[in-house]
């Protein structure tokens, strides 16, 4: 799963910046420079690409958007951050920051886990607007209601008990 692959990659990373992007082509690699810029300039330890503050995005599922905003709101309440898109699949980290935590989640629980654990260590978060070209279920989108329930569990678990 996603979390399992990221665990392996984070342990083997050697550069100063580690960038994560879901492999489903919903995010534009041409925007990597925008994503890592706050880290390069020494302003941030963690940068999330926000699908909600970017210039363009494909309009898709209403209930996915509602679930994302509710999960982000819950995450923000537990971490005292003010992210607009905690569940984004496009993130960059100072390598020392991401390697300072142990990733436990093997699937989509990665997002709330990493957010809670890095927030607890008081790393500096930034968000940058990114474009988003979401896929439909017919095109292979896999996330569903069970993932939202797991994300809520992870928000509470890692914010309070990790």
């Amino acid at each position: 799963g996603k979390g399992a692959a990221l665990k392996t990659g984070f342990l083997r990373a050697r550069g100063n910046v580690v960038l994560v992007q879901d492999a489903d082509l919903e995010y534009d690699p041409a925007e990597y420079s925008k994503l890592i810029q706050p880290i390069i300039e020494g302003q941030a330890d963690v940068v999330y690409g926000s699908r909600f503050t970017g210039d363009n995005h494909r309009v898709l599922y209403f209930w996915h958007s509602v679930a994302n905003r509710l999960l982000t709101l819950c995450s923000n309440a537990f971490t005292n951050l003010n992210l607009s898109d905690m569940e984004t699949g496009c993130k960059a980290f100072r390598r020392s920051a991401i390697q300072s935590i142990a990733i436990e989640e093997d699937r989509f629980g990665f997002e709330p886990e990493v957010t809670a654990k890095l927030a607890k260590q008081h790393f500096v978060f930034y968000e940058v607007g990114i474009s988003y070209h979401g896929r439909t279920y017919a095109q292979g989108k896999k996330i569903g209601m069970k993932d939202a329930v797991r994300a809520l569990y992870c928000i509470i678990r890692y914010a309070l008990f990790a």
Side-chain angles (χ1 to χ4, degrees), residues 21-39:
Q21 176 181 315
D22 287 352
D24 55 9
L25 304 177
E26 292 182 327
Y27 304 97
D28 186 354
E31 296 180 335
Y32 287 171
S33 60
K34 183 181 357 178
L35 196 67
I36 66 171
Q37 197 62 37
I39 296 173

Side-chain angles (χ1 to χ4, degrees), residues 42-118:
Q43 298 174 332
D45 301 305
V46 181
V47 180
Y48 283 20
S50 175
R51 297 167 287 181
F52 302 120
T53 61
D55 293 333
N56 334 305
H57 67 276
R58 181 175 177 183
V59 175
L60 279 174
Y61 303 112
F62 171 76
W63 291 111
H64 278 208
S65 176
V66 169
N68 185 301
R69 290 181 192 270
L70 287 173
L71 290 170
T72 297
L73 176 67
C74 289
S75 175
N76 286 344
F78 280 97
T79 60
N80 199 30
L81 296 173
N82 66 341
L83 295 168
S84 68
D85 191 7
M86 179 270 298
E87 289 286 350
T88 182
C90 194
K91 298 175 173 70
F93 309 93
R94 188 175 307 284
R95 181 174 57 91
S96 58
I98 196 62
Q99 288 181 342
S100 74
I101 61 172
I103 304 298
E104 299 173 46
E105 292 297 313
D106 288 329
R107 291 184 33 84
F108 294 108
F110 165 79
E111 268 78 26
E113 176 189 6
V114 74
T115 303
K117 288 182 174 181
L118 292 172

Side-chain angles (χ1 to χ4, degrees), residues 24 26 58 60-61 64 134-143:
D24 55 9
E26 292 182 327
R58 181 175 177 183
L60 279 174
Y61 303 112
H64 278 208
R135 296 179 307 150
T136 65
Y137 285 106
Q139 294 170 315
K141 189 149 196 83
K142 293 176 182 60
I143 200 157

